[in-house]
Amino acid sequence: MLEGKAVIGDTDMLQAMQDDALQLATKALDFFDVTEATEIARVVKQEFDKMYGGGWQCIVGTNFGSFVTHCYGSFIHFSVGTLAILLFRGSSAASEIDEFWSLDGVKA
């Protein structure tokens, strides 16, 4: 396990979801080395899918940038030691826009 306390960088999650994210990350770090970032991300993502429904994305690493669209109330970025974890539920807004534009050819 990576020693250190989790530090939340940014979030719009409810406190209970934040607690779940931190606990799952800690649990994953008990089983996997920090060099196994993909496995850590898999555990966190799959457990959040089970707990809160599908569509969760998880990125884990020591050096990454991101620019994501997420559903309101489903974003957290935190770190444990040098390991950063980004967890969010992807937004379906893009598909809704596509559906809207597909109505352009429809005559009333």
Side-chain angles (χ1 to χ4, degrees):
M1 169 167 174
L2 183 63
E3 295 299 324
K5 180 178 171 141
V7 177
I8 296 175
D10 194 15
T11 187
D12 66 359
M13 283 184 175
L14 295 174
Q15 187 64 50
M17 289 177 83
Q18 292 177 43
D19 294 343
D20 288 340
L22 299 178
Q23 288 174 349
L24 286 170
T26 300
K27 178 181 167 184
L29 285 164
D30 285 341
F31 288 100
F32 299 104
D33 188 71
V34 296
T35 60
E36 298 175 284
T38 302
E39 292 303 314
I40 296 166
R42 180 185 55 78
V43 167
V44 174
K45 182 251 190 294
Q46 288 179 343
E47 290 300 315
F48 252 70
D49 280 347
K50 288 178 193 172
M51 296 168 72
Y52 296 105
W56 289 91
Q57 308 299 316
C58 188
I59 302 168
V60 176
T62 56
N63 186 16
F64 62 86
S66 67
F67 189 83
V68 300
T69 301
H70 69 281
C71 296
Y72 179 76
S74 64
F75 176 91
I76 189 168
H77 178 257
F78 62 98
S79 60
V80 180
T82 59
L83 194 66
I85 300 172
L86 174 63
L87 175 66
F88 64 97
R89 178 180 267 165
S91 174
S92 63
S95 64
E96 291 170 6
I97 291 170
D98 290 342
E99 289 173 20
F100 174 77
W101 288 112
S102 69
L103 296 177
D104 272 351
V106 176
K107 302 218 182 214

